[in-house]
Each structure stands twice: as C-alpha cells, then as structure tokens.
Amino acid sequence: MLTIENIKSNFSYIKAIFDNSESYHNTDNYFNLGDFTDIYFESINQNVKQEQIDIYNSFKLNHTKYLSEIEQYFIKYLNNYELNHIDQIKQKELFFDVIYIPNKNNNYDLALICSREYQKYFIFKKSISLRVEFKNNSISSVKRPKNITNENSINN
C-alpha cells in the first residue's frame, strides 16, 4: 500500500515548464496488464493528499472488477475497419498505460489510460486507447479521444 512518505521518497517530483502544474511520478506493475504503468499524483506545493493515496490504493486492490466493463467499451468504440478484426483485437493484451490521480477535480477522482495494439498491416501496428475516468470507485465516463490527455468532459 502506498503512503505519502513512499511517494515523497520513491517518486520523482515533476514541475511543469509552461504552467503551474506539478506532480509525482513513478511506475507500478499491474500483472497481465502490460509491463508497467506510469502513475502520476497531481500535487500542490509539493503536497499530495491522503485522499489521493486512498483512491489509488483502492483502485490497485480492486482494478480487476472493472476489466469486463472496460472490455465492453473497447468493443463499443471500434470503427468499422476494427470491427472486421474484432477477434484479433480481443485476443490482444490490455495495457494500463497511465494512471493519473488529480489533487482536486469535480469530474473524476482517477483517470486511467488503457490501450490495445493489434497488427493492422503486415508490419504496422495500430493502437486503440481509451480514457476511463472514475468517480467514487466506479467508472464515470469512457471516451476514445484524439487527445488522450484531455478530460472526457472536454472531449465532446
């Protein structure tokens, strides 16, 4: 289980160059969901709230309960070409790429960027990425946006 002390001692502190944002970054392992996942805790004045830690720890313990729902969204957001290759896509490994825990956000408590890669042509791979936002331990919104860094409420 993560603690504030773990974050301050084991995570890298990142201060944005162009704005006032800051965060702590490290990686974590979600077995069978990629080799590693980038974890970002948004901070204010180099401080992370215990509430953020609790949200992350709860997600880490319970992440498998969301997998079937996330799988359904992957199918929902496939385009026509991808639907013709649905069996191949379903067989590919699901990756948890990034988990972001905001310091304070009214729309979500945790954002998960997850993806799948599949062989589109002989040597070319195609990635399908979803942004999954959680509020109060449940999925509140899912999108397949062009810019995965934007909040789902911004992605119309």
Side-chain angles (χ1 to χ4, degrees), residues 28 66 87:
D28 204 346
Y66 306 110
D87 292 332

Side-chain angles (χ1 to χ4, degrees), residues 8 19 22-23 26 28 42 46 125-126 141 143 148 153:
K8 292 211 173 191
D19 62 16
E22 58 184 65
S23 61
N26 205 349
D28 204 346
E42 181 183 36
Q46 296 187 11
K125 290 184 179 179
K126 169 86 171 159
S141 69
K143 297 268 175 112
I148 206 82
S153 60

